[in-house]
Amino acid sequence: MNTETEFSSNRLPNPAIVGGQPRYVQLAQTLLNEIESGKYPVGAQLPTEFELCEQFGVSRSTAREAVKKLVSLGLVVRQPRVGSTVCARSATTGYRQSIAEVSDLYQYATETTLHIESSETVQIDAQQARLVEGNAGEVWLHLKGRRRAPAAPEPICVTDLWLHPAFRSIQGLSGPLGGAVHAAIEQQFGEVIVSVEQEIRAVLLSDEQAQMLHVARGGAGLWVCRKYRNKLNQLVELAISIHPAESFSYSTVLRREWGVGAKAVTV
């Protein structure tokens, strides 16, 4: 017997959260209403997935997707062994990315959609070789596209992807992608990504970038470069994304390892 139930609200749904009306969207709307009403103030913990299942009669996957929706709206941050914490009282129209561990990059890729707009193999020159840590003359796969989030009316970033020649025959990278490219590399080639280097800096958007992102020319942007490496520290994938500053925020949780940096005192 299916125990999932339909939810309704006495108020008009927030336009940032309405899509079709699957159960996880309805649950997300209910939680959003309760956050905005103050039932769950900023700093408070949301019920756990198990508690949401009990309270609303939904499956765990439904509860999980509802919380992910709130994360994408910038209302909630999730932290391992801590839970889901309310970080804002009203939803944003942009996209907030929260990173606590490498697995959150997979979450980011599944919560958003990368629309591939061009794909070509490129014999790299000396300048491109420095970018991808390769050698001039190598043939890399170069993908370009725009990433979108369900709650964001405009693209959240433009993205350039460079894949090592060993993986340039990768299959399935066309149209809207709902998963991580590095995950597809792992699945198709048996490669394992063990580390991700990330660099972030402020930039001014070019005219082309501003046009693709549907923002004013000359505006500020956030340049995010990620290098995905295997166990030999070789570069498997380079991803460069440029976000409009006014509609994207980024948060990182850093945890201290006890004992690191402490000095022993002898008397």
Side-chain angles (χ1 to χ4, degrees):
M1 178 179 178
N2 189 345
T3 60
E4 294 194 356
T5 58
E6 297 290 336
F7 302 104
S8 61
S9 174
N10 293 327
R11 53 174 287 182
L12 292 175
N14 187 298
I17 206 168
V18 174
Q21 279 300 318
R23 289 183 175 88
Y24 81 89
V25 172
Q26 296 169 338
L27 175 53
Q29 180 65 56
T30 298
L31 293 173
L32 184 150
N33 293 349
E34 293 179 342
I35 290 171
E36 291 183 339
S37 70
K39 179 176 180 178
Y40 300 110
V42 173
Q45 297 292 115
L46 285 184
T48 65
E49 290 180 3
F50 179 76
E51 290 169 338
L52 290 174
C53 293
E54 284 194 327
Q55 290 181 25
F56 294 94
V58 297
S59 67
R60 187 169 183 181
S61 62
T62 297
R64 183 180 301 115
E65 290 301 316
V67 175
K68 287 170 64 176
K69 172 67 77 172
L70 297 179
V71 171
S72 72
L73 291 174
L75 290 165
V76 171
V77 292
R78 293 191 301 184
Q79 299 172 256
R81 298 179 296 277
V82 175
S84 302
T85 306
V86 177
C87 62
R89 188 169 177 177
S90 59
T92 62
T93 57
Y95 185 81
R96 178 185 179 90
Q97 184 180 356
S98 178
I99 296 294
E101 53 190 25
V102 172
S103 62
D104 287 334
L105 294 176
Y106 289 87
Q107 175 189 327
Y108 167 64
T110 56
E111 287 181 348
T112 61
T113 304
L114 177 61
H115 294 253
I116 300 296
E117 296 170 348
S118 70
S119 174
E120 61 177 342
T121 52
V122 176
Q123 186 173 8
I124 60 174
D125 56 26
Q127 181 178 357
Q128 292 167 330
R130 288 192 294 272
L131 176 68
V132 300
E133 303 176 7
N135 298 305
E138 293 177 348
V139 179
W140 286 61
L141 179 62
H142 186 206
L143 305 168
K144 291 184 178 182
R146 283 178 281 189
R147 189 172 288 279
R148 296 178 179 273
E154 305 293 352
I156 62 173
C157 68
V158 292
T159 297
D160 274 72
L161 298 174
W162 291 89
L163 304 189
H164 188 278
F167 313 108
R168 69 189 189 205
S169 64
I170 188 169
Q171 301 295 308
L173 299 189
S174 60
L177 302 179
V181 173
H182 53 279
I185 292 175
E186 291 181 320
Q187 181 180 22
Q188 294 184 32
F189 295 92
E191 186 60 272
V192 178
I193 303 298
V194 299
S195 67
V196 183
E197 298 174 9
Q198 181 167 264
E199 179 184 356
I200 302 175
R201 64 173 181 251
V203 295
L204 291 178
L205 299 175
S206 68
D207 289 349
E208 180 184 4
Q209 291 163 350
Q211 183 177 11
M212 293 181 69
L213 292 168
H214 306 160
V215 297
R217 295 180 177 181
L222 194 66
W223 181 91
V224 181
C225 177
R226 294 191 180 107
K227 295 180 179 180
Y228 297 83
R229 298 187 182 277
N230 62 16
K231 61 184 178 181
L232 299 177
N233 203 39
Q234 297 169 331
L235 184 65
V236 172
E237 174 192 342
L238 175 73
I240 297 177
S241 298
I242 298 178
H243 304 260
E246 67 270 20
S247 60
F248 183 82
S249 62
Y250 186 92
S251 65
T252 303
V253 177
L254 302 177
R255 292 185 177 83
R256 181 181 178 183
E257 295 182 15
W258 289 104
V260 175
K263 294 182 178 180
V265 178
T266 58
V267 294

